[in-house]
Amino acid sequence: MNFDTVIIGGGLAGLLCGIRLQQQGQHCAIITAGQSAIDFSSGSLDLLSFHAEQPVEKLATGLDQLAITSPQHPYSLIGTGSVLRYAQQFQQLAQQLQLNLVGEEEQNHYRVTPLGSLQPAWLSPQQVPTLPMTGEKFPYHSLMILGIEGFHDFQPHLLAANLQQLAQFSECEIHHTLLHIPELDHLRTNAREFRSVNISQALEHKLNFHELVAEIKQAVGQAEAVFLPACFGLDDESFFEQLKQATGLALFELPTLPPSLLGLRQHYKLRREFQRLGGVLMNGDTVLRSEFAGDKVSEIYTVQHEEMPLTANNYILATGSFFSNGLVARFEKIIEPIFDVELLADSDRLQWTTHRFADAQPYQYYGVKINAHCQVMKAGKIVPNLFAVGAVVGGFNGLHQGCGSGVSIATAYNVAEYILAGGQQ
């Protein structure tokens, strides 16, 4: 089977790259094993949340400072201007696909986390509570946090206690309680099945909607705002919006422990758009091996197509980091298992970690070595038709720098632009 471009990995980076290429007439295939990091995300997207361990408010300023201190960071290679341009292109796509994200192009905001802290973010789902980074108070004087009886992936008492310690909530009266929702009784017998996805599916098919609305209104009392776990609506936020309209309350959703419905909703919409544009999604498949002809990748073989090679003009590695086996740590070294390309990584395993668990760990910066076009290197030479995007790329720490989503977006659009320009920029 022959394609213009084959993308290995169906997370945020892989899907964005595929969508952009398909929009411009390419014929692409995405090979994906199934779930990806986006399914476990909070739903908020970060471009750059921290620099030198300090929150970033103005994005252009933070990116310029990062270019000085971290020359191997993907943003530094791509350039601040291009990163901001790609961010704007993503916002246009998000609006087109009705991802319903809020946020500004030039600066971050605070999102409320399920543990009751404030985390800088670039874009957040509109139903998630957010605050400006300039210190404004939460705009409601009373708040009710509603959990679900027996659901341990969302702890309203902990959330309430931590919010009360924040200056932004100092003038807000905060209470918490639990909803019972009788339709969920069959799930309560098995804690392993009592997760956000199972709850959402049960409510979608067995729910007495009017009884749920009545239970919420009774539990809320006189509170002006309500925080709920993101368990209401699997495919999109329409069910939650119906609930908001029916109750007449200022309802907000917070992500739960993974899997996160807020991330899943985004994944579904992006995947549907890729397929709508004619892209081929090879779901449940993994790459077994690759072949080279000269300095280029010539073909790859997958589990489901072991005897039939997949060929393309270009190949994009979007396999993620250690979490999804895009990188594999063996006892003696770390490898990229499909193409065995060069990595930014220490050869001494004693340098992979530090003793303090909460510190930024060295291995979190490891990944594929790229150039300004996100092309990879093998045996000291650039592979002209092989690119790396997203978490598999080295030189950044998505967790401590708060840039995982942004790196996926910037590298995906950067590669698509380079390919569409015929490899000439």
Side-chain angles (χ1 to χ4, degrees), residues 129 137-146 160 163-164 168-176 217 219-228 248-252:
K137 302 288 187 182
F138 185 62
Y140 300 93
H141 296 294
S142 56
L143 168 65
M144 177 63 74
I145 301 172
L146 298 180
L163 286 178
Q164 288 169 343
Q168 289 87 342
F169 286 83
S170 61
E171 299 176 4
C172 183
E173 184 179 343
I174 303 174
H175 300 280
H176 62 89
K217 293 176 73 172
V220 168
Q222 299 301 312
E224 298 175 355
V226 184
F227 288 0
L228 288 164
L249 297 167
L251 299 184
F252 296 92

Side-chain angles (χ1 to χ4, degrees), residues 207-228:
L207 176 70
N208 186 317
F209 186 78
H210 298 293
E211 288 185 3
L212 175 61
V213 170
E215 184 177 356
I216 290 175
K217 293 176 73 172
Q218 182 179 3
V220 168
Q222 299 301 312
E224 298 175 355
V226 184
F227 288 0
L228 288 164

Side-chain angles (χ1 to χ4, degrees), residues 40 114 151 153-154 196 229-231 254-262:
F40 300 89
F151 180 53
D153 292 350
F154 183 82
S196 57
C231 298
L254 287 174
T256 66
L257 287 177
S260 162
L261 290 194
L262 295 169

Side-chain angles (χ1 to χ4, degrees), residues 124-135:
S124 292
Q126 66 179 6
Q127 63 271 26
V128 169
T130 61
L131 290 164
M133 293 186 70
T134 47

Side-chain angles (χ1 to χ4, degrees), residues 41-46 98-103 109-112 121-131 230 237 240-241 244 251-255 260-266 269:
S41 75
S42 67
S44 292
L45 302 170
D46 45 28
Q98 297 182 342
L99 297 185
N100 298 322
L101 300 172
V102 296
H109 58 258
Y110 280 129
R111 66 176 178 90
V112 178
W122 166 49
L123 299 173
S124 292
Q126 66 179 6
Q127 63 271 26
V128 169
T130 61
L131 290 164
E237 58 280 348
F240 181 80
E241 292 300 323
K244 186 175 182 179
L251 299 184
F252 296 92
E253 281 187 300
L254 287 174
S260 162
L261 290 194
L262 295 169
L264 281 169
R265 291 170 189 165
Q266 294 171 0
K269 290 181 179 181

Side-chain angles (χ1 to χ4, degrees), residues 161-288:
N162 288 334
L163 286 178
Q164 288 169 343
Q165 307 302 313
L166 299 176
Q168 289 87 342
F169 286 83
S170 61
E171 299 176 4
C172 183
E173 184 179 343
I174 303 174
H175 300 280
H176 62 89
T177 190
L178 298 175
L179 298 171
H180 175 66
I181 311 180
E183 289 86 354
L184 302 178
D185 285 344
H186 69 288
L187 292 176
R188 292 187 174 92
T189 59
N190 188 341
R192 288 179 298 179
E193 293 185 4
F194 203 29
R195 298 296 177 88
S196 57
V197 172
N198 307 84
I199 291 172
S200 179
Q201 290 171 334
L203 295 181
E204 206 166 312
H205 298 292
K206 301 179 180 179
L207 176 70
N208 186 317
F209 186 78
H210 298 293
E211 288 185 3
L212 175 61
V213 170
E215 184 177 356
I216 290 175
K217 293 176 73 172
Q218 182 179 3
V220 168
Q222 299 301 312
E224 298 175 355
V226 184
F227 288 0
L228 288 164
C231 298
F232 303 90
L234 181 59
D235 292 336
D236 55 41
E237 58 280 348
S238 59
F239 182 90
F240 181 80
E241 292 300 323
Q242 292 172 18
L243 199 60
K244 186 175 182 179
Q245 184 175 1
T247 59
L249 297 167
L251 299 184
F252 296 92
E253 281 187 300
L254 287 174
T256 66
L257 287 177
S260 162
L261 290 194
L262 295 169
L264 281 169
R265 291 170 189 165
Q266 294 171 0
H267 195 182
Y268 292 158
K269 290 181 179 181
L270 291 170
R271 193 165 58 188
R272 284 197 295 265
E273 178 65 7
F274 175 72
Q275 292 178 295
R276 186 192 71 80
L277 292 168
V280 176
L281 189 66
M282 299 182 178
N283 206 23
D285 203 357
T286 56
V287 176
L288 288 175

